[in-house]
Amino acid sequence: MGISGFEPSFLVGVEAIRQTHGSGLARLVGRRLTGFALVRFAEDGDWFADCPVVLEFDGVQVEVCHSKLDELSIGWDAIDTAATITGWEWSELTPRWSDRDERLEPFVGQVLCEVALLEWRPAVRDLAAGTVAVEFVFAGGRLRIVNGLDENRIEVGVAQPDHVRHGLGH
């Protein structure tokens, strides 16, 4: 993807993700969300949801990226969002890091109260069954980065009832 420092390590399933990243995610509780970065195209401002969502919590950077139907990579303090994204010469669009997003902006400045992994377990099995989202709970609401079936999707508010919640810290 040409993103400086991005070397994803994709995991499948809530247990693998919890074992590898649960304690790191739990340590974010009590920290303030101080910023975020998404990749948007310079030409039209559209979000390129295949790239990681980067959240900064008082100096600790967490990098969340979904892929395929069931893979999730969580990285820590590796991506340089000040560096130019390279290798897109073939494309008509120019990817750039952006700190603009109407879903994320209201959470900047808020202290993280709780973090959880949400496992999609619908009553009627579907393609997304078993995918894992990361939920960040603030006093002012909830923010989730979910698998949008081979890309990231950002959701705010209460999660759908078909998610099984696996709390990590509060």
Side-chain angles (χ1 to χ4, degrees), residues 90-129:
W90 54 269
S91 176
E92 295 176 6
L93 299 174
T94 308
R96 293 201 175 128
W97 287 106
S98 172
D99 62 358
R100 293 181 302 101
D101 189 87
E102 64 280 353
R103 297 159 298 186
L104 298 174
E105 289 166 359
F107 297 101
V108 174
Q110 293 191 39
V111 173
L112 184 64
C113 300
E114 187 178 352
V115 65
L117 299 175
L118 302 182
E119 183 181 15
W120 181 249
R121 288 287 174 209
V124 177
R125 187 161 176 81
D126 63 19
L127 280 175

Side-chain angles (χ1 to χ4, degrees), residues 7-26:
E7 296 183 18
S9 177
F10 290 104
L11 299 171
V12 175
V14 71
E15 285 309 312
I17 297 162
R18 183 196 332 240
Q19 287 177 5
T20 306
H21 298 290
S23 61
L25 289 167

Side-chain angles (χ1 to χ4, degrees), residues 20-28 57 60-63 74-79:
T20 306
H21 298 290
S23 61
L25 289 167
R27 283 193 297 272
L28 295 174
F57 288 93
V60 176
Q61 183 172 286
V62 61
E63 306 142 357
I74 298 174
W76 299 94
D77 299 313
I79 294 174

Side-chain angles (χ1 to χ4, degrees), residues 35-170:
F36 64 88
L38 301 174
V39 173
R40 292 188 178 277
F41 293 116
E43 291 77 8
D44 58 14
D46 284 349
W47 175 38
F48 187 54
D50 288 354
C51 293
V53 175
V54 178
L55 302 174
E56 173 96 17
F57 288 93
D58 285 329
V60 176
Q61 183 172 286
V62 61
E63 306 142 357
V64 180
C65 192
H66 289 89
S67 182
K68 300 184 181 174
L69 296 179
D70 57 358
E71 295 182 350
L72 173 59
S73 176
I74 298 174
W76 299 94
D77 299 313
I79 294 174
D80 181 359
T81 60
T84 301
I85 299 171
T86 61
W88 284 66
E89 292 76 19
W90 54 269
S91 176
E92 295 176 6
L93 299 174
T94 308
R96 293 201 175 128
W97 287 106
S98 172
D99 62 358
R100 293 181 302 101
D101 189 87
E102 64 280 353
R103 297 159 298 186
L104 298 174
E105 289 166 359
F107 297 101
V108 174
Q110 293 191 39
V111 173
L112 184 64
C113 300
E114 187 178 352
V115 65
L117 299 175
L118 302 182
E119 183 181 15
W120 181 249
R121 288 287 174 209
V124 177
R125 187 161 176 81
D126 63 19
L127 280 175
T131 61
V132 179
V134 183
E135 181 179 58
F136 301 93
V137 181
F138 301 89
R142 295 169 183 264
L143 161 67
R144 283 175 308 289
I145 304 168
V146 305
N147 188 316
L149 301 181
D150 196 28
E151 64 183 16
N152 298 298
R153 192 171 72 230
I154 297 172
E155 297 178 349
V156 295
V158 178
Q160 295 180 20
D162 287 333
H163 279 112
V164 174
R165 191 163 209 285
H166 303 270
L168 300 173
H170 47 66

